Amino acid sequence: MRAGGQGASCPRAVAAAVKGQTAPGAWGRMAAARAWVLVLSLWGAVVSGQNITARVGERLVLNCKGAPRKPPQQLEWKLNTRRTEVWKVLSPQGDSWDSVARILPNGSLLLPAVGIEDEGTFRCRATSRSGKETKSNYRVQVYKIPRKPEIVDPASQLTAAVPNKVGTCVSEGSYPAGTLSWQLDGKLLKSDGEGVSVKEETRRHPETGLFTVQSELIVTPALGGAPRPTFSCSFSLGLPGHRPLHSAPVQPSVWAPEPVPLKVQLVVEPESGVVAPGGTVTLTCEAPAQPPPQVHWLKDGTPLPLLFSPVLLLSEVQPHDQGVYSCVATYPTHGSQQSPAVSISILETGREGPSAGSVGDSGLGTLALALGILGGLGTAALLIGIILWQRRCRREQRKAPERQEEEEERAELNQSEEPEAAQGSAVGP
Ligand SMILES: *[C@@H]1O[C@H](CO)[C@@H](O)[C@H](O)[C@H]1NC(C)=O
Ligand SMILES: *[C@@H]1O[C@H](CO)[C@@H](O)[C@H](O)[C@H]1NC(C)=O
């Protein structure tokens, strides 16, 4: 940017711009001085500079401001383009450069057919009849609208859940290069590193200088997505006032593979799921898949927050840890699968209660059975004891008094041989 043309008039705009910057004191004056520099440099570009876009192959006329409409004129055109490489000066009287640019009788510069090499800066300095000098400054940008973009090698079928190449969009013959973009069902598709990947390549033709842009689209259609998505591609030059060019759409079908039944298992340690208070339970979610699925846990049907590990460790278990646990594995391609549920219960050491879990119930049952058997055995022993005692009583009643001595002897013998029977008789009334 050059502060050209500052000698020309425009004091009002400058004064207005500076007023806002003026502040009392030295600092204020410094700020004002800097503002002047800024305003002057901007002013040079804004007042005498103008951006022109010119289509390749068309004619371009640049007016020399302030020049007399008819000769004799005092004016000079200076251009710095890719064609000239250095500043080239053209004057009405000088040798013309007919095929590229020539000065018209009214002082304007004519380029009969703009080429890519004519992109650059054009300046004119003219002196009016009254001696006032005016400068014009143009930045000429050249453009070439390419053919409509085309999707080559379009896919007729895409497979869900895996990356697929949709096609390659090609735009040929643009200047400047411009950009290609993809749309899915009318919405812009952007490379996101996951489901959408776009690879763009730009080449320049060595002779024409025009660009060929191509963009390859790879997508991973989601399972359960649209069965016939519509892809299209559009080209944009990136210059103001130019609408994008759209390709014909392609409509591949999406084929979804049948979900593979995946078994999710829940392994518990200890196996019974019964643990004493303060003990440890380890639950391991076994979900075979590559890549490993995302795991979360459910307790009594409610997700446990912030737990995404395939191993759930319950240490120092408390009564509130009791419940029914299961894990849910979420596969990127096959949705979610839930494991069978497992009941975790705490062994009640103090008392028997209904809170004991299913495995605890069976333990208690065994205990009850054992107690029942013991009780039965006890009762039988008691009955046998009673029967023996009653028999003995009856025998004693039948015995004659004369045999008392003999009987006593036998009792003594029994006592030594069968202490239990003797005891039983001693206890009896
Ligand atoms: C002209 O284009 C240049 C660069 O492309 C830009 O910096 C400048 O602001 C433009 N000027 C105008 C007046 O649009
Ligand atoms: C000068 O002449 C050309 C061609 O006749 C015309 O397009 C252009 O507008 C003229 N310029 C002025 C400043 O009248």
Side-chain angles (χ1 to χ4, degrees):
M1 211 178 273
R2 226 184 61 112
Q6 51 274 63
S9 64
C10 196
R12 203 189 287 165
V14 172
V18 172
K19 209 191 264 176
Q21 296 276 347
T22 311
W27 176 251
R29 276 195 295 277
M30 249 167 72
R34 239 181 281 141
W36 265 107
V37 173
L38 184 73
V39 164
L40 287 176
S41 56
L42 276 177
W43 185 44
V46 172
V47 172
S48 62
Q50 196 178 339
N51 286 343
I52 307 270
T53 54
R55 192 167 173 160
V56 169
E58 292 193 346
R59 67 179 236 144
L60 174 68
V61 176
L62 298 170
N63 291 332
C64 184
K65 289 168 194 159
R69 289 293 172 93
K70 283 175 189 161
Q73 294 138 326
Q74 246 196 301
L75 64 88
E76 179 189 83
W77 277 98
K78 255 171 83 175
L79 39 146
N80 190 351
T81 64
R82 224 171 288 136
R83 207 192 289 276
T84 66
E85 285 180 351
V86 289
W87 285 103
K88 184 175 174 72
V89 179
L90 293 177
S91 61
Q93 300 82 28
D95 36 301
S96 73
W97 198 20
D98 266 355
S99 61
V100 180
R102 84 182 119 95
I103 298 170
L104 295 172
N106 64 8
S108 296
L109 186 73
L110 168 74
L111 284 84
V114 171
I116 289 172
E117 317 78 54
D118 292 317
E119 204 167 56
T121 310
F122 292 75
R123 289 192 182 135
C124 184
R125 194 177 61 198
T127 311
S128 69
R129 303 247 191 266
S130 59
K132 193 181 142 204
E133 192 179 84
T134 307
K135 287 177 177 172
S136 318
N137 189 3
Y138 301 96
R139 278 179 61 97
V140 173
Q141 191 166 19
V142 171
Y143 69 89
K144 169 88 165 56
I145 295 172
R147 288 214 307 263
K148 242 172 84 163
E150 220 181 305
I151 299 173
V152 297
D153 302 330
S156 57
Q157 191 184 59
L158 308 176
T159 306
V162 296
N164 300 253
K165 188 179 150 184
V166 175
T168 304
C169 183
V170 179
S171 155
E172 259 180 49
S174 61
Y175 190 89
T179 50
L180 288 171
S181 57
W182 285 91
Q183 289 87 36
L184 168 57
D185 296 327
K187 270 188 240 144
L188 183 70
L189 272 179
K190 279 215 177 118
S191 259
D192 57 6
E194 283 174 31
V196 180
S197 155
V198 178
K199 272 188 248 166
E200 201 172 280
E201 202 187 295
T202 304
R203 286 196 312 270
R204 192 165 185 188
H205 195 282
E207 279 160 36
T208 63
L210 301 177
F211 290 98
T212 296
V213 188
Q214 61 181 56
S215 169
E216 185 186 276
L217 175 67
I218 292 169
V219 295
T220 306
L223 273 175
R228 282 195 85 85
T230 304
F231 294 94
S232 61
C233 143
S234 55
F235 173 85
S236 171
L237 258 184
L239 294 178
H242 288 274
R243 291 220 190 127
L245 297 169
H246 301 284
S247 73
V250 293
Q251 257 200 322
S253 60
V254 176
W255 174 74
E258 283 299 306
V260 179
L262 296 161
K263 271 260 188 308
V264 179
Q265 292 295 337
L266 187 49
V267 176
V268 189
E269 179 60 42
E271 217 175 317
S272 62
V274 184
V275 65
T280 300
V281 178
T282 312
L283 296 154
T284 308
C285 192
E286 291 187 347
Q290 261 320 313
Q294 206 188 30
V295 169
H296 73 267
W297 294 87
L298 301 178
K299 178 176 182 269
D300 300 321
T302 310
L304 292 175
L306 307 172
L307 255 176
F308 306 105
S309 160
V311 178
L312 175 56
L313 184 74
L314 302 173
S315 55
E316 293 179 34
V317 292
Q318 299 295 318
H320 65 76
D321 290 323
Q322 288 193 126
V324 177
Y325 288 79
S326 58
C327 68
V328 178
T330 304
Y331 299 91
T333 53
H334 295 93
S336 292
Q337 299 260 338
Q338 192 173 341
S339 73
V342 163
S343 169
I344 298 300
S345 47
I346 311 266
L347 200 62
E348 293 269 332
T349 44
R351 61 198 157 81
E352 290 167 28
S355 53
S358 58
V359 181
D361 278 338
S362 80
L364 284 175
T366 315
L367 189 66
L369 189 68
L371 283 174
I373 291 166
L374 281 177
L377 284 174
T379 312
L382 197 63
L383 280 172
I384 290 165
I386 290 168
I387 290 163
L388 283 175
W389 174 69
Q390 279 179 345
R391 261 197 215 155
R392 173 154 303 201
C393 286
R394 258 180 262 129
R395 253 188 280 155
E396 271 170 13
Q397 277 163 6
R398 266 189 277 125
K399 275 169 198 159
E402 64 269 17
R403 293 184 67 184
Q404 187 96 37
E405 281 176 30
E406 204 188 320
E407 197 62 43
E408 273 175 12
E409 271 178 40
R410 198 189 289 178
E412 271 177 32
L413 224 112
N414 275 355
Q415 217 162 20
S416 61
E417 281 174 18
E418 296 175 327
E420 273 174 23
Q423 215 177 351
S425 67
V427 168

